[in-house]
Amino acid sequence: MVPGVEQPLPAERHRRIQELLREHRVVRVSVLSEQLGVSEVTVRRDLEVLERRGMLERTHGGAVATQWMRAEPAYLEAASTNPAEKRLIGAAAATLVEPGDALYLNGGTTTLQVFRHLRATGLKVATNHVGIALEAADRDVELLLLGGHYRAPSNSVVGPFATEALRRTHATKAFIGVEGISVGSGLTTPVAAEAEIARVMIEQTRGRVLVVADHSKIGTVADFVIAPLEEIDALIVDEGCSEGYRQRLTEAGIEVIVAADRASAVSGGGG
């Protein structure tokens, strides 16, 4: 702070912080302190206020903007968003699958990449993802396609038929795709029926629950809650997820697996 210089009022600081978040998505306390001309203690208090209002989520040394997802993207639109990152995530997730596993894969373009990269033998897969079923013909996988109401936006089936079938099964691992993952709001999606499918898969899993999500889903909040963070074991994400947010997820008890790091570790180990 410069002595004798009038400091901006809290409302003005809050407005400026939100502008910077819209512009950069991620901000650092040290940078905000310099730009606003106030102490880092004041900046942290401002970030706490804005976090309570749902405008952002604090991370170590800064904050990330909260993105609100109001509508579900079309399947083809989702498939064309961050495709390289989704392939990396799918490949990293597949390395965690062991021979004989029974898997849940819900709808979404990232879980399709998980299925495409599966190499373990003797697998059973239960899914509501029609795209996965169409690609299972030439794969040595025992596949259970759930019945129900077909939804074109997600290329999946949902509803009571699907959830009742799920409740008659168990899995050793679940790979759950989401539209939003947030420390404050947990796992979310803009469609209630999709949230219900994912929720039942998590409930019926007798092993690890792993969320697969590219960096655009981090800090995003949609209308319907799938589950709080404490109900999942790990997040598999690409390098676009900020170090500060990874640290906050880790402190919330979530193992964060960065897809590129996982691929390097596996290839470096000869497997």
Side-chain angles (χ1 to χ4, degrees):
M1 289 189 294
V2 180
V5 176
E6 186 178 349
Q7 304 304 315
L9 294 170
E12 175 62 22
R13 294 198 307 269
H14 296 171
R15 184 188 64 78
R16 182 62 181 142
I17 290 169
Q18 289 176 73
E19 285 178 354
L20 290 167
L21 277 168
R22 280 194 293 271
E23 186 177 346
H24 301 289
R25 181 91 201 282
V26 177
V27 293
R28 295 195 63 78
V29 169
S30 56
V31 174
L32 290 174
S33 173
E34 184 178 334
Q35 293 204 9
L36 297 173
V38 296
S39 71
E40 293 192 3
V41 172
T42 299
V43 170
R44 289 192 181 93
R45 280 202 298 264
D46 289 340
L47 295 180
E48 287 177 10
V49 170
L50 291 172
E51 184 176 47
R52 287 197 296 271
R53 294 179 187 169
M55 307 305 298
L56 56 81
E57 291 198 43
R58 287 177 297 144
T59 64
H60 282 272
V64 60
T66 297
Q67 298 187 114
W68 294 91
M69 173 172 280
R70 299 303 183 193
E72 177 185 25
Y75 188 80
L76 290 177
E77 178 189 337
S80 63
T81 303
N82 299 324
E85 288 86 346
K86 289 174 181 176
R87 284 193 294 271
L88 274 174
I89 291 167
T95 66
L96 303 173
V97 176
E98 299 169 299
D101 265 340
L103 308 177
Y104 288 140
L105 296 171
N106 70 330
T109 54
T110 310
T111 50
L112 178 60
Q113 289 296 332
V114 177
F115 182 78
R116 286 175 175 172
H117 286 88
L118 292 175
R119 297 293 179 265
T121 58
L123 299 179
K124 297 178 181 178
V125 174
T127 185
N128 66 323
H129 196 315
V130 174
I132 287 176
L134 292 174
E135 295 195 13
D138 59 350
R139 300 290 302 275
D140 184 20
V141 172
E142 183 180 332
L143 187 120
L144 169 64
L145 175 64
L146 305 173
H149 174 71
Y150 176 71
R151 296 191 67 256
S154 61
N155 197 25
S156 62
V157 294
V158 296
F161 287 110
T163 54
E164 283 306 309
L166 273 174
R167 289 193 172 97
R168 298 180 185 181
T169 67
H170 289 300
T172 55
K173 291 185 179 77
F175 292 94
I176 304 296
V178 299
E179 292 300 331
I181 177 168
S182 152
V183 171
S185 300
L187 311 180
T188 57
T189 187
V191 179
E194 300 283 359
E196 180 68 9
I197 291 287
R199 189 180 304 120
V200 175
M201 285 183 172
I202 291 170
E203 290 171 359
Q204 296 297 109
T205 301
R206 295 299 179 263
R208 300 187 81 200
V209 175
L210 305 107
V211 171
V212 288
D214 69 78
H215 66 273
S216 69
K217 313 295 176 61
I218 306 301
T220 296
V221 179
D223 290 340
F224 296 97
V225 175
I226 296 170
L229 285 188
E230 54 261 32
E231 293 190 20
I232 71 170
D233 298 296
L235 165 68
I236 306 168
V237 69
D238 60 276
E239 290 179 303
C241 178
S242 72
E243 182 61 40
Y245 210 91
R246 291 182 218 169
Q247 200 167 346
R248 192 150 185 223
L249 287 165
T250 300
E251 288 183 350
I254 309 302
E255 179 186 2
V256 179
I257 300 168
V258 180
D261 293 348
R262 175 70 187 178
S264 299
V266 171
S267 60

